[in-house]
Amino acid sequence: MTTIDDLPRGLEGVVVSTTSIGDVRGDEGFFHYRQYSAVELAERRSLEDVWHLLFRAELPDAATSAAFADEVHGRRALPDGLRRLLPQLASLGAPLDVLRTAVSPLGAELGWRPTHDIGADELADDALRL
């Protein structure tokens, strides 16, 4: 059994997960989403295009990009309950703490079911809504 004392300092060389979505080799300056440079994507593509790449495994052409942007745009409205709760959550401080905490009431308000109880299509729909 590996213990915390057995791990290298800074976790150098420790593989935490395998994925086909991203690859990071920091010593080489290599950071990719799918087969595309993350730096080039950030410089040349919209957030929605990169989002499409992550969710649908391909960079969209112009028509697909516009359709996907329309699809996600319609999901941006906050439910009333979460809208009222956010000012209180903001007092937690760090933005990622607020975001993490806000996901639970959002899921409750939208009626999300546990991820292990739903199929891939419903999971993808919930992820896009999030």
Side-chain angles (χ1 to χ4, degrees):
M1 181 169 122
T2 302
T3 68
I4 192 81
D5 295 325
D6 298 325
L7 296 173
R9 185 178 177 147
L11 299 179
E12 183 175 344
V14 174
V15 175
V16 295
S17 181
T18 57
T19 178
S20 63
I21 294 174
D23 189 16
V24 176
R25 294 192 302 264
D27 290 340
E28 301 170 34
F30 184 87
F31 181 43
H32 280 63
Y33 292 130
R34 308 248 181 229
Q35 71 268 26
Y36 299 95
S37 162
V39 173
E40 289 178 17
L41 288 169
E43 291 173 344
R44 298 186 176 104
R45 300 303 287 250
S46 69
L47 172 66
E48 288 82 2
D49 283 356
V50 177
W51 190 0
H52 187 279
L53 172 66
L54 296 176
F55 271 76
R56 308 258 165 90
E58 63 184 12
L59 276 175
D61 59 23
T64 305
S65 177
F68 187 72
D70 286 345
E71 178 184 354
V72 297
H73 178 76
R75 299 168 184 258
R76 289 187 177 148
L78 288 175
D80 289 337
L82 183 58
R83 184 185 318 277
R84 288 189 301 272
L85 183 60
L86 278 177
Q88 296 167 351
L89 294 179
S91 68
L92 295 175
L96 286 179
D97 291 340
V98 174
L99 176 63
R100 181 194 64 235
T101 303
V103 170
S104 295
L106 175 66
E109 189 164 2
L110 296 177
W112 288 347
R113 298 183 299 147
T115 58
H116 60 274
D117 289 344
I118 61 177
D121 289 342
E122 188 176 349
L123 181 61
D125 188 63
D126 288 354
L128 285 174
R129 178 68 170 117
L130 177 60

